[in-house]
């Protein structure tokens, strides 16, 4: 019996119609969780990015402050959010420190989030009360070694950027200082200006204006370049002072929940890179004593490997100090 084809019999095979997969829709309303209080550097950067990224995504972006526990409450909110791009996180260097400071986090710092890109870097300033008897980094370190726990240093809580910078400073001086905790950087600045606190290593955003006006004494900035402007441009970098191990920045990065589709993550990252190139954004960053990262660092891949390197950098210092937040 001769085999007949479907075509010969006038019958046709069922037609399989292939349609392109529908692109993942970007939410029209996006919330950036800032895990710190309104008015601080991270909040200001979050609001600037919400305002500048929104138009590139055709979305309304707002900032919600979810504070507490060194930023981990806000981070946990994002880790547990739906992975649809509607809830994002803006966090700083403290996100990396939390991996070691908190031994029972409800999320994994490296695995519970999709990295979108780094945003900006804020240098720290090593400062002291205006009448502190030292004028160079070398003299400051010598004074710290000689004074030990008789010398006070402030920070705004375990895991804060000034806590981490203070750990670096004490390690470099090979001593332990009298650490005093405060609720934020504002009261620390007040105590420094009143000479009731000895030394501090905090964000340049807060300290630069005080150093410029002579209300506190500045020894160095922890960045690779000096700060611009009268008076501030005379403050050396830690590299120029011969202490490269003090190099650090308060970097900020943006995150989404872990399972967020790669397409959405990339669209968010593209919008981030577009936003930080805008002249008005660059100008506003300069007012905050910071600058946007280079485009190559505002990518998911770079951000992911950089976060891992920062977690590894801070872990031995935190474990050696034995000062855990939980």
């Amino acid at each position: 019996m001769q085999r007949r084809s479907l075509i010969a019999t006038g019958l046709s095979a069922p037609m399989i119609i292939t349609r392109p997969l529908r692109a993942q829709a970007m939410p029209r309303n996006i919330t950036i969780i800032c895990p710190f209080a309104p008015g601080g550097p991270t909040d200001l950067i979050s609001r600037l990015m919400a305002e500048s990224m929104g138009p590139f995504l055709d979305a309304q972006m707002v900032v919600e402050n979810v504070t507490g526990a060194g930023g981990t409450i806000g981070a946990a909110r994002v880790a547990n959010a739906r992975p649809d791009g509607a809830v994002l996180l803006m966090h700083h260097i403290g996100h990396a420190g939390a991996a070691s400071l908190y031994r029972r986090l409800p999320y994994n710092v490296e695995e519970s989030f999709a990295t979108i890109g780094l945003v900006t870097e804020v240098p720290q300033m090593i400062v002291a009360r205006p009448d502190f008897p030292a004028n160079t980094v070398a003299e400051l370190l010598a004074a710290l070694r000689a004074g030990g726990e008789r010398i006070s240093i402030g920070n705004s809580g375990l895991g804060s950027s000034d806590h981490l910078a203070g750990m670096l400073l004490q390690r470099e001086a090979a001593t332990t200082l009298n650490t005093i905790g405060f609720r934020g950087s504002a009261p620390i600045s007040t105590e420094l200006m009143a000479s009731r606190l000895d030394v501090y290593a905090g964000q340049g955003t807060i300290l630069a204006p005080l150093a410029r006006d002579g209300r506190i004494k500045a020894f160095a900035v922890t960045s690779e370049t000096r700060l611009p402007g009268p008076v501030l441009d005379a403050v050396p970098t830690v590299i120029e002072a011969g202490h490269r191990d003090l190099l650090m920045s308060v970097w900020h990065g943006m995150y989404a929940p872990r399972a967020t589709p790669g397409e959405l993550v990339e669209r968010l990252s593209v919008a981030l890179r577009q936003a930080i190139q805008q002249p008005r954004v660059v100008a506003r960053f300069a007012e905050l004593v910071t600058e946007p990262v280079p485009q190559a660092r505002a990518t998911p891949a770079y951000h992911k490997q950089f976060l891992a390197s920062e977690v590894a950098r801070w872990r031995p210092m935190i474990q050696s100090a034995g000062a855990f937040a939980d």
Side-chain angles (χ1 to χ4, degrees):
M1 181 176 180
Q2 185 177 4
R3 181 176 297 170
R4 293 179 298 174
S5 70
L6 289 173
I7 296 176
T9 62
L11 300 175
S12 60
M15 183 177 292
I16 300 174
I17 301 175
T18 59
R19 295 184 177 90
L21 294 176
R22 184 179 178 182
Q24 180 74 42
M26 179 64 64
R28 299 300 300 273
N29 295 288
I30 300 173
T31 298
I32 299 177
I33 299 295
C34 171
F36 302 104
T42 304
D43 176 69
L44 296 176
I45 290 171
S46 298
R47 294 181 188 280
L48 180 60
M49 297 313 298
E51 176 187 341
S52 56
M53 285 177 63
F56 292 111
L57 297 167
D58 192 25
Q60 178 69 36
M61 300 185 78
V62 298
V63 174
E64 180 182 353
N65 299 88
V66 180
T67 64
T72 61
I73 293 177
R77 169 84 68 87
V78 177
N80 293 317
R82 290 183 59 184
D84 58 4
V87 179
L88 309 175
L89 172 69
M90 181 72 75
H91 210 325
H92 61 32
I93 188 174
H95 189 48
S100 300
L101 277 167
Y102 294 84
R103 292 165 292 184
R104 291 180 292 274
L105 278 177
Y107 57 85
N108 184 291
V109 167
E110 296 183 67
E111 297 178 6
S112 298
F113 304 89
T115 52
I116 295 172
L118 297 181
V119 180
T120 185
E121 295 181 302
V122 182
Q124 298 285 94
M125 293 189 75
I126 299 172
V127 301
R129 53 184 166 84
D131 56 347
F132 194 87
N135 294 299
T136 66
V137 174
E139 292 175 359
L140 172 65
L141 293 174
L144 298 184
R145 282 191 290 271
E149 292 191 358
R150 296 192 304 274
I151 295 178
S152 59
I153 183 170
N155 71 46
S156 52
L158 290 176
S160 61
S161 59
D162 50 18
H163 167 232
L164 298 176
M167 291 179 67
L168 279 183
L169 184 61
Q170 292 176 79
R171 186 184 69 171
E172 194 73 2
T175 191
T176 300
L177 306 178
N178 176 25
T179 300
I180 301 176
F182 292 84
R183 291 182 178 272
S185 56
I188 296 176
S189 300
T190 298
E191 294 300 288
L192 278 172
M193 290 186 287
S195 292
R196 293 189 292 265
L197 182 70
D198 293 317
V199 297
Y200 181 50
Q203 291 194 43
T205 300
I206 305 297
L207 299 176
L210 304 181
R212 184 181 56 231
D213 296 342
R215 288 181 283 176
I216 58 177
K217 182 180 288 189
F219 293 91
V221 291
T222 63
S223 54
E224 295 182 346
T225 58
R226 296 191 181 196
L227 298 180
V231 180
L232 295 177
D233 60 8
V235 179
T237 69
V238 290
I239 297 175
E240 292 172 326
H243 295 276
R244 176 174 285 274
D245 286 345
L246 289 173
L247 191 66
M248 72 168 284
S249 69
V250 185
W251 51 268
H252 287 81
M254 184 174 283
Y255 306 81
R258 174 180 56 189
T260 302
E263 178 188 350
L264 290 186
V265 171
E266 184 56 30
R267 289 174 64 188
L268 288 163
S269 185
V270 168
L272 169 60
R273 294 194 294 275
Q274 291 172 317
I276 63 177
Q277 292 185 94
Q278 296 182 82
R280 65 180 184 83
V281 173
V282 175
R284 179 58 177 143
F285 277 151
E287 293 173 0
L288 298 174
V289 195
T290 184
E291 60 184 7
V293 298
Q295 291 284 292
R297 302 186 68 183
T299 65
Y302 184 91
H303 186 183
K304 182 179 178 64
Q305 64 90 12
F306 180 77
L307 174 64
S309 69
E310 286 287 274
V311 169
R313 179 190 187 190
W314 294 106
R315 177 171 285 125
M317 273 184 280
I318 291 170
Q319 291 180 338
S320 176
F324 300 105
D326 55 6

